């Protein structure tokens, strides 16, 4: 053990309110600094006033930021106080939280590392256990979370994301004007979105004008019950159902084709399902050659292209008229795979009409989903759901 000189550098680095640096030693564990208390009173963490009623004093050791390659520890005397406001417990200190084994600046350092690497790497860099790194990160993320009190949303979007295999979902609500996630609930049941509206309050719910979503019954029922908002069905989900119908035709035609024809279909799924206007000339020629050999597949492809073009139409009346014509084209084509799509669109036509009116989608949620998947991969999956929700809010929420 070596006693180090109390240099001005040390004194400046460890200049904590109410304490003076009195000794520094170095040993195999690292560098330990001893503080002496300069006050006879303690601050109450509840009312903030000074309290002279000291019940007990005990020695506390905490970890601070490393000094070069050496771990750094601080030893000091902490008091247990009794305040007139009724508080009884440890005093408030500006450099360490109550019951924490680490200084505030050490915890802030760890919390800044966590968004940039996984917990194992953070633990390795900070020389702590990964569970400790997670506990610190979760503690600081909880402070970043803001409620709905200061929000007055008018246009919202809701979507679900899978956080684990086996139909385990989270309900994610976004403010379309802010472009941020503002609320996350577990599962995608009606009562989950109901709880969002209850937290938001009746007055704010009445101001919501538009709600963008997919055609999920529980979400629809909740929005109708708590708001007067117009529901807009996301065009992406409708397009997805249309391309799924085309893919069913492709699979059916592939299954009954001979060996030579199957070779031509092989690895062509991308060409058939992608928008024709996004293909280069070479790929378009390959697609045309394939379509010439199978009339049913060609009809399915044309129906897909017609439908997706309709959703690009800027005039609401023209778009709805073209949609009626598309229904007739599907009937004339006689492709049973498209019948459920037509039935779905007709059942939810009010929300599709609102799409042409407002031109809003949940497209930004796809970018958020990519971020969320990165978070999941970095953590090798999340077993602590609350921590996962906090990480989503850190990456996609208002404080990000």
């Amino acid at each position: 053990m070596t006693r180090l000189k109390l240099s001005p550098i040390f004194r400046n680095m460890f200049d904590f309110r109410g304490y003076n640096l009195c000794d520094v030693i170095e040993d195999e564990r690292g560098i330990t600094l001893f503080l002496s208390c300069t006050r006879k009173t303690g601050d109450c963490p509840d009312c903030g006033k000074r309290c002279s009623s000291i019940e007990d004093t005990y020695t506390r050791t905490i970890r601070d930021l490393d000094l070069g390659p050496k771990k750094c520890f601080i030893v000091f005397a902490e008091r247990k106080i009794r305040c007139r406001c009724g508080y009884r417990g440890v005093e408030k200190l500006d450099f360490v939280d109550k019951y924490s084994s680490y200084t505030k600046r050490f915890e802030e350092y760890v919390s800044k590392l966590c968004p940039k690497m996984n917990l194992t790497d953070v633990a390795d860099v900070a020389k702590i256990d990964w569970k400790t790194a997670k506990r610190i990160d979760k503690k600081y993320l909880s402070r970043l979370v803001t409620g709905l009190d200061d929000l007055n949303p008018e246009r919202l979007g809701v979507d679900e994301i899978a956080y684990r295999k086996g139909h385990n979902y989270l309900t994610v609500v976004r403010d379309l004007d802010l472009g941020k996630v503002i609320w996350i609930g577990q599962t995608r049941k009606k009562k989950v979105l109901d709880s969002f509206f209850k937290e938001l309050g009746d007055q704010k719910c009445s101001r919501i004008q538009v709600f963008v979503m997919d055609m999920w019954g529980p979400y629809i029922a909740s929005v109708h019950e708590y708001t007067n908002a117009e529901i807009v069905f996301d065009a992406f989900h409708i397009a997805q159902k249309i391309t799924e119908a085309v893919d069913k035709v492709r699979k059916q035609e592939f299954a009954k084709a001979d060996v030579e024809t199957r070779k031509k279909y092989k690895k062509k799924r991308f060409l058939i399902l992608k928008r024709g206007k996004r293909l280069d000339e070479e790929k378009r020629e390959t697609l045309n050659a394939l379509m010439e050999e199978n009339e049913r597949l060609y009809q399915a492809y044309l129906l897909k292209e017609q439908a997706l073009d309709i959703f690009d139409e800027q005039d609401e009346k023209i778009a709805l008229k073209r949609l009626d014509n598309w229904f007739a084209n599907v009937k004339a084509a006689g492709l049973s795979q498209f019948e459920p799509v037509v039935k779905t669109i007709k059942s939810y036509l009010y929300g599709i009409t609102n799409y042409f009116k407002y031109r809003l989608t949940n497209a930004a949620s796809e970018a958020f989903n990519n971020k969320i998947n990165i978070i999941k991969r970095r953590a090798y999956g999340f077993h602590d759901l609350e921590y996962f929700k906090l990480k989503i809010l850190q990456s996609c929420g208002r404080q990000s």
Side-chain angles (χ1 to χ4, degrees):
M1 183 176 69
T2 305
R3 179 167 273 103
L4 302 180
K5 183 179 178 181
L6 294 177
S7 66
I9 294 177
F10 273 131
R11 294 188 186 280
N12 289 334
M13 289 175 62
F14 300 93
D15 182 22
F16 301 127
R17 180 171 173 265
Y19 290 88
N20 281 336
L21 180 63
C22 60
D23 199 7
V24 182
I25 63 170
E26 181 180 4
D27 55 22
E28 65 279 357
R29 187 176 72 157
I31 296 175
T32 303
L33 299 104
F34 295 85
L35 305 179
S36 61
C37 188
T38 61
R39 296 191 307 171
K40 295 182 179 181
T41 59
D43 290 340
C44 175
D46 281 359
C47 67
K49 294 180 179 179
R50 288 193 177 187
C51 177
S52 58
S53 179
I54 309 298
E55 290 192 338
D56 197 5
T57 301
Y58 57 92
T59 301
R60 184 173 171 187
T61 302
I62 58 175
R63 171 91 179 273
D64 195 23
L65 293 171
D66 294 347
L67 293 174
K70 297 282 188 177
K71 287 185 179 181
C72 179
F73 300 90
I74 297 175
V75 179
F76 63 99
E78 186 176 59
R79 281 87 53 98
K80 182 179 179 182
I81 63 173
R82 182 193 291 270
C83 184
R84 292 179 179 178
C85 73
Y87 174 80
R88 184 184 182 189
V90 296
E91 62 182 315
K92 178 185 177 182
L93 299 174
D94 63 350
F95 61 95
V96 63
D97 285 333
K98 185 166 58 174
Y99 309 128
S100 176
S101 299
Y102 304 89
T103 61
K104 289 182 179 180
R105 61 190 181 190
F106 182 88
E107 292 181 337
E108 287 171 2
Y109 169 66
V110 171
S111 69
K112 288 177 181 177
L113 290 177
C114 287
K116 298 175 174 62
M117 56 185 78
N118 61 51
L119 289 175
T120 303
D121 292 337
V122 172
D124 184 53
V125 171
K127 303 186 186 97
I128 55 177
D129 183 78
W130 73 267
K131 292 180 181 178
T132 301
K134 173 192 165 183
R135 185 168 59 250
I136 291 172
D137 190 32
K138 192 173 180 179
K139 171 183 172 181
Y140 272 74
L141 286 176
S142 298
R143 295 176 180 178
L144 293 176
V145 175
T146 55
L148 302 175
D149 293 343
D150 61 333
L151 284 179
N152 291 288
E154 295 182 353
R155 304 193 303 174
L156 295 173
V158 62
D159 202 359
E160 75 277 354
I161 58 167
Y163 66 90
R164 196 182 300 149
K165 290 182 179 179
H167 299 287
N168 293 295
Y169 293 98
L170 296 176
T171 292
V172 179
V173 179
R174 293 185 305 110
D175 188 311
L176 299 182
D177 296 309
L178 291 176
K180 300 289 185 181
V181 172
I182 61 171
W183 192 86
I184 303 173
Q186 189 177 354
T187 77
R188 55 173 183 166
K189 296 179 180 178
K190 177 181 178 295
K191 64 180 181 180
V192 175
L193 193 56
D194 287 351
S195 64
F196 164 73
F197 291 125
K198 290 174 183 177
E199 186 178 339
L200 191 63
D202 293 341
Q203 187 175 0
K204 291 184 179 181
C205 285
S206 65
R207 296 175 185 168
I208 301 173
Q209 299 173 7
V210 180
F211 225 109
V212 182
M213 65 180 73
D214 60 11
M215 291 165 282
W216 180 239
Y219 289 163
I220 297 170
S222 183
V223 171
H224 281 320
E225 181 176 342
Y226 288 90
T227 78
N228 296 315
E230 291 197 85
I231 291 176
V232 174
F233 291 127
D234 192 355
F236 170 79
H237 291 282
I238 301 165
Q240 191 176 40
K241 291 182 180 296
I242 293 167
T243 54
E244 285 172 358
V246 177
D247 203 33
K248 288 177 182 178
V249 176
R250 182 193 64 82
K251 289 177 180 178
Q252 189 178 75
E253 295 304 299
F254 181 84
K256 65 184 183 182
D258 56 40
V259 176
E260 288 301 316
T261 305
R262 285 190 179 190
K263 288 180 180 179
K264 294 178 182 179
Y265 287 161
K266 203 111 176 168
K267 298 182 180 180
K268 300 296 188 300
R269 180 175 182 269
F270 170 80
L271 292 177
I272 297 168
L273 299 185
K274 191 170 182 180
R275 295 288 299 272
K277 63 182 182 181
R278 295 176 184 168
L279 297 176
D280 58 36
E281 188 174 346
E282 183 181 348
K283 290 178 180 177
R284 197 175 291 114
E285 288 179 2
T286 303
L287 179 64
N288 290 338
L290 189 65
M291 295 295 103
E292 287 176 2
E293 295 192 11
N294 192 303
E295 185 179 355
R296 279 173 56 80
L297 190 55
Y298 183 50
Q299 286 179 317
Y301 176 80
L302 288 179
L303 288 173
K304 183 258 295 184
E305 289 294 300
Q306 289 170 5
L308 299 185
D309 283 344
I310 292 170
F311 287 99
D312 291 337
E313 175 60 58
Q314 296 301 310
D315 188 289
E316 180 184 346
K317 292 182 179 178
I318 294 175
L320 293 174
K321 186 175 181 180
R322 289 180 63 186
L323 194 58
D324 282 333
N325 292 336
W326 186 77
F327 293 153
N329 291 340
V330 170
K331 186 175 182 180
L335 296 173
S336 59
Q337 293 83 354
F338 280 84
E339 291 174 4
V341 181
V342 171
K343 185 177 179 181
T344 298
I345 292 176
K346 287 183 176 180
S347 298
Y348 297 98
L349 191 59
Y350 64 95
I352 296 169
T353 301
N354 286 335
Y355 165 75
F356 294 120
K357 179 180 178 181
Y358 292 102
R359 293 288 164 182
L360 292 172
T361 70
N362 263 339
S365 67
E366 296 305 311
F368 289 151
N369 287 345
N370 290 334
K371 284 186 178 181
I372 292 166
N373 287 330
I374 290 171
I375 294 170
K376 283 197 292 186
R377 287 197 297 271
R378 183 179 288 163
Y380 306 106
F382 272 85
H383 300 286
D384 186 337
L385 189 56
E386 286 304 314
Y387 184 43
F388 183 37
K389 289 160 68 174
L390 288 171
K391 296 299 285 186
I392 294 172
L393 288 171
Q394 180 187 42
S395 178
C396 308
R398 283 182 288 161
Q399 71 281 355
S400 60

